[in-house]
Amino acid sequence: GYTAAYSLVFSGLDRLMEYHTQAELVMNQAVRQEQPVLSAGDCACDILMDHLVRQRGLRSFISPELEKLRAYDRRKGTRLYETLNVFVGCGCQMSETSRILDAHRNTVANRLNKISEITRLQPMALIDAPEQMSFLRLSFLMMDRLIRESTSE
C-alpha cells in the first residue's frame, strides 16, 4: 500500500526545506502508526513529544511530583496519577474529570486532596495558575510517552 504525509500549509519558497523536513517527519510517523494518510496537524504533538523526550537533559524537566504519584499508586493501588492527569487535561473541570473517570465528584475531590498531601501540588488552585497547569500537562505528555516506550521494549 501507499502512505501519504503532508506538512502544515506554508507560503513562500524560502521555507520550502523546513516544510519538506516536516513532511518527512510526518511520513515517518505515518509509517510507525500504519496510517495511509497523515498530516502534520494530526501528529504534531506526537512528533514534538518524540523529540522532547529524546533530548538530553529535558527528561529532568518532567515534574518530579508525577513520579511520586506513580510510586504511591503502585504501593497503595490508587489512581492518583490518572486522576490528576485527567483533571489537568480537562482544564481543572471537576464535572468533566468525574465523568471521564466514571467517579463521583466527592471521590475525585478526595483524590485531589490526597494528591495535595503527597505532593507540593495544589490541584484545585491550578485553574488560577496557567503556567503551572501547562507545565503539568507537558510533564504528563512526556511521562506518558516514556511509559509507553518502556512498556513496548
Side-chain angles (χ1 to χ4, degrees):
Y2 293 97
T3 302
Y6 53 97
S7 70
L8 297 174
V9 175
F10 66 98
S11 61
L13 294 177
D14 57 320
R15 296 182 70 190
L16 180 62
M17 289 308 295
E18 184 180 332
Y19 283 93
H20 179 267
T21 300
Q22 185 182 91
E24 285 180 331
L25 291 168
V26 175
M27 177 63 83
N28 293 337
Q29 192 73 15
V31 169
R32 272 196 304 280
Q33 293 179 1
E34 299 178 358
Q35 295 288 324
V37 178
L38 195 62
S39 74
D42 292 334
C43 64
C45 283
D46 284 334
I47 292 171
L48 289 170
M49 282 299 114
D50 283 345
H51 283 29
L52 273 176
V53 298
R54 284 174 178 65
Q55 291 296 314
R56 182 173 143 83
L58 287 184
R59 289 180 186 192
S60 66
F61 282 94
I62 296 173
S63 173
E65 307 304 328
L66 301 188
E67 191 51 49
K68 283 183 189 175
L69 292 177
R70 290 187 71 234
Y72 185 90
D73 284 349
R74 283 191 298 270
R75 279 193 321 275
K76 303 286 187 172
T78 56
R79 296 173 57 194
L80 301 181
Y81 177 91
E82 177 189 18
T83 299
L84 185 60
N85 193 354
V86 171
F87 185 70
V88 169
C90 291
C92 302
Q93 299 299 315
M94 183 73 79
S95 298
E96 185 65 6
T97 302
S98 297
R99 186 188 67 73
I100 290 172
L101 294 174
D102 194 27
H104 193 276
R105 285 177 57 93
N106 291 343
T107 301
V108 172
N110 289 337
R111 289 179 188 172
L112 295 174
N113 287 333
K114 189 66 173 175
I115 290 166
S116 295
E117 291 174 20
I118 296 167
T119 69
R120 292 178 289 137
L121 300 173
Q122 299 299 317
M124 297 308 290
L126 288 173
I127 195 74
D128 297 320
E131 192 71 27
Q132 187 180 21
M133 188 165 40
S134 295
F135 170 62
L136 281 174
R137 188 73 211 120
L138 186 57
S139 291
F140 274 117
L141 289 170
M142 290 174 69
M143 179 73 90
D144 291 346
R145 172 61 50 101
L146 291 170
I147 291 166
R148 275 197 310 272
E149 286 179 2
S150 70
T151 57
S152 67
E153 294 175 350

